[in-house]
Amino acid sequence: RVEKKIRMKDLNIGDEVHVGNNMYEPIYSFGHRAHRLSPENYSDMIRIRTKTSTLTLTPNHLVFAQSQDDIAVPTPASQIRVG
């Protein structure tokens, strides 16, 4: 595999992306496509902070969060809570 950076706007369904530990998975969907992020919709973005980094996501971006049953569940970023 050739490692190269590709802009999100240039990705397509089926393209494989690096998901960590030398692993790649295909893109299976897009929640939306915003070709240009304008200042007025940037304020709608969700920021999730951890000890080591910050994620900036759209409110509907799916994040795998741990449920009460200890299962990883795809959850919209707007519903992520501490704890």
Side-chain angles (χ1 to χ4, degrees):
R1 290 214 169 159
V2 176
E3 290 279 331
K4 62 181 179 177
K5 292 184 180 184
I6 298 173
R7 293 181 180 271
M8 290 290 292
K9 70 180 182 92
D10 296 328
L11 291 172
N12 295 296
I13 302 295
D15 288 350
E16 290 192 344
V17 295
H18 185 238
V19 295
N21 295 330
N22 239 2
M23 294 173 36
Y24 292 79
E25 292 186 12
I27 295 171
Y28 59 87
S29 73
F30 288 103
H32 68 282
R33 277 205 184 235
H35 293 288
R36 201 167 256 190
L37 190 59
S38 62
E40 56 272 1
N41 64 13
Y42 186 75
S43 64
D44 294 336
M45 301 293 273
I46 303 291
R47 287 167 195 82
I48 298 175
R49 291 179 179 87
T50 70
K51 290 179 181 178
T52 58
S53 64
T54 300
L55 291 172
T56 302
L57 314 161
T58 62
N60 292 325
H61 189 106
L62 293 178
V63 176
F64 282 90
Q66 207 164 14
S67 71
Q68 290 178 331
D69 300 331
D70 233 15
I71 298 170
V73 179
T75 307
S78 62
Q79 295 180 15
I80 299 294
R81 301 289 179 258
V82 174

